[in-house]
Amino acid sequence: MNEAAGVPVHILQTTPLLPIADALLKDRFTVHRLWEQEDAARYLEEIGPGIRGIATTHQFGAVNRILDQLPNARIISSFGVGYEHIDAEDAARRGIVVTNTPDVLDDDVADLALALTLATLRQIPQADRHVRSGRWLSGPYPLTPTLRGRTVGILGMGRIGKAIARRFEGFGVDIAYHARHRQDGLGYAYHDSAVALAAASDLLVVIVPGGAATRHLVDMQVLNALGPQGVLINVARGSVMDEAALVEALEEGRILAAGLDVYQDEPNVPARLLAMDQLVLLPHVGSATVHTRNAMARLVADNLLSWFGGKGPLTPVPESRAVLEGMTHSNLIK
Ligand code: NAP
Ligand code: 8YV
C-alpha cells in the first residue's frame, strides 16, 4: 500500500527472492509474481499498465525486454551488485531508475576471493581428494605452489577490489592494480592496462563489472603476460575472461593454474576446464552466505520501500543520476 496516497502500489517481481524480501514486499505492496504465471506474456498484457516498480534478479536476464509493457514503471530494483543484465541507459531514457545491491556483499565476496586464491595455490580440494581416496596411504601429497613472494595484481579497484586488497595486505605480498582511473592515496602500484598489470604480477585477481566494456578484457595477451608461473583468479564475471584462451593457456602451460567462481555460460562449464586438475572451480558463490544474501534481498525491498515512501532510491546505479537530477521530493514517486 502506498500509505501517502492510500492506494495500492503494484510491483512486478520477475523471479524468486529470499523470504525476507518477500515478507517486506508483501507487507507494503501488491506483488505480482511473474515466474508463477503459466502465460507470462498474457499476464503482462493484463497487469502491465498498473505496475509501478519491478523487483528482479540476474536470473531473469534482460528486463528491458518487458519495459514496453510496463509504461508506468519508474524503478527497477535488482538483486546483486552487477547489473549488466539491465540496460540502465535505456531505462534512464524511459525515466526509470535502476538500483542494485552494492556494499553489503563486499566482505563475503572478498573473503571468497582470498579462500579461492589459497585453495588454488595450495591445492586444497586436490589434497582433500588425496585423503578421501586413500592415496595418502601410498605417499604424501606433492609440494604445491605458494603465495610467498608473489605480486598480486587486482584488476578492478572498486568496493570489492579494495576489500580484497586489504585482505592481501595481511599476507605480506606486494599489491598492484589496474582500473580505468588511478586512485590518489592508494598505496598500490597502478598500471595503465590489464596487460601491463599482468606483466607486473604473478597472481591476477579479476573483479571488474561484466558487460560490453569489459568483455574479454582478460585475453591471451594478458595470460601470456601473466606467464608460466602465473595464477588467475576470476570472481567477476565469465564474460570478462576469454574462456577459450584460458583453456588453451592452461592446457599449454602458458599459465600455471586458475581459480574460477564465474563462467561464460553458467551453469555450463566447458568439459576441458572440468578435466584439468590445476583448477579450482566454484559455482558462482562469491556472495552466497545466508548473512549476505539476506542483506542483499533486504536492500532490494528497501530500495522500493524508500522510493514509494517518497525518499528516493537508496542505492541507484550511476546511469540513473540523470533521471534523479531535477526531481524534487514531491515528484520523486510520480
Ligand atoms: P565497483 O565498486 O563499481 O568497482 C568496479 C571497478 O572496476 C572499478 O575500479 C572500475 O574502475 C573498474 N572498471 C570498470 N570498468 C572497467 C574497465 N573497462 N576496465 C578496467 N577497469 C574497469 O564494483 P564492485 O562492487 O567492486 O563489484 C565488481 C563486480 O564484481 C560486480 O560488477 C560483479 O560483476 C562482480 N561480483 C561478483 C560476485 C560473485 O559472486 N562472484 C559477487 C559480487 C560482485 P574505476 O575505479 O576506474 O571506475
Ligand atoms: C549474486 C553477484 O550471486 O552481486 C553480484 O553481482 O554476482 C552475486 O552476488 C548474483 O547477482 C545472483 O544473482
Side-chain angles (χ1 to χ4, degrees), residues 57-59 79-85 101 105 109 235-237 262 284-288 293 296:
T57 69
H58 200 261
Q59 284 66 35
F79 182 84
V81 67
Y83 58 96
E84 70 280 4
H85 54 290
T101 60
L105 42 57
V109 179
V235 287
R237 284 288 184 266
V262 287
H284 199 149
V285 289
S287 66
R293 286 289 173 84
M296 292 162 68

Side-chain angles (χ1 to χ4, degrees), residues 207-218:
I207 188 67
V208 288
T214 57
R215 188 178 145 73
H216 291 189
L217 185 60
V218 178

Side-chain angles (χ1 to χ4, degrees), residues 245-262:
L246 176 65
V247 170
E248 206 179 310
L250 285 161
E251 285 178 346
E252 293 176 359
R254 290 166 188 249
I255 67 167
L256 185 68
L260 307 176
D261 185 41
V262 287

Side-chain angles (χ1 to χ4, degrees), residues 160-312:
I160 304 173
K162 287 194 189 72
I164 292 172
R166 282 195 300 275
R167 282 158 174 73
F168 273 115
E169 282 181 25
F171 286 86
V173 291
D174 289 334
I175 298 168
Y177 74 103
H178 167 67
R180 290 168 301 188
H181 313 96
R182 181 199 297 266
Q183 295 183 41
D184 293 337
L186 269 190
Y188 314 131
Y190 177 77
H191 296 273
D192 63 8
S193 69
V195 179
L197 177 67
S201 315
D202 28 38
L203 176 72
L204 187 65
V205 182
V206 185
I207 188 67
V208 288
T214 57
R215 188 178 145 73
H216 291 189
L217 185 60
V218 178
D219 58 9
M220 191 58 98
Q221 212 192 344
V222 170
L223 296 170
N224 281 335
L226 196 54
Q229 290 306 310
V231 173
L232 178 86
I233 303 296
N234 188 5
V235 287
R237 284 288 184 266
S239 61
V240 179
M241 179 79 248
D242 179 346
E243 213 163 71
L246 176 65
V247 170
E248 206 179 310
L250 285 161
E251 285 178 346
E252 293 176 359
R254 290 166 188 249
I255 67 167
L256 185 68
L260 307 176
D261 185 41
V262 287
Y263 310 86
Q264 214 160 278
D265 178 28
E266 297 173 7
N268 300 302
V269 179
R272 283 162 71 191
L273 280 181
L274 295 174
M276 283 186 273
D277 206 41
Q278 72 273 45
L279 285 165
V280 177
L281 304 175
L282 300 180
H284 199 149
V285 289
S287 66
T289 65
V290 174
H291 168 88
T292 287
R293 286 289 173 84
N294 274 333
M296 292 162 68
R298 176 181 274 278
L299 189 48
V300 170
D302 283 347
N303 265 300
L304 292 167
L305 291 169
S306 180
W307 175 266
F308 289 105
K311 295 182 188 140

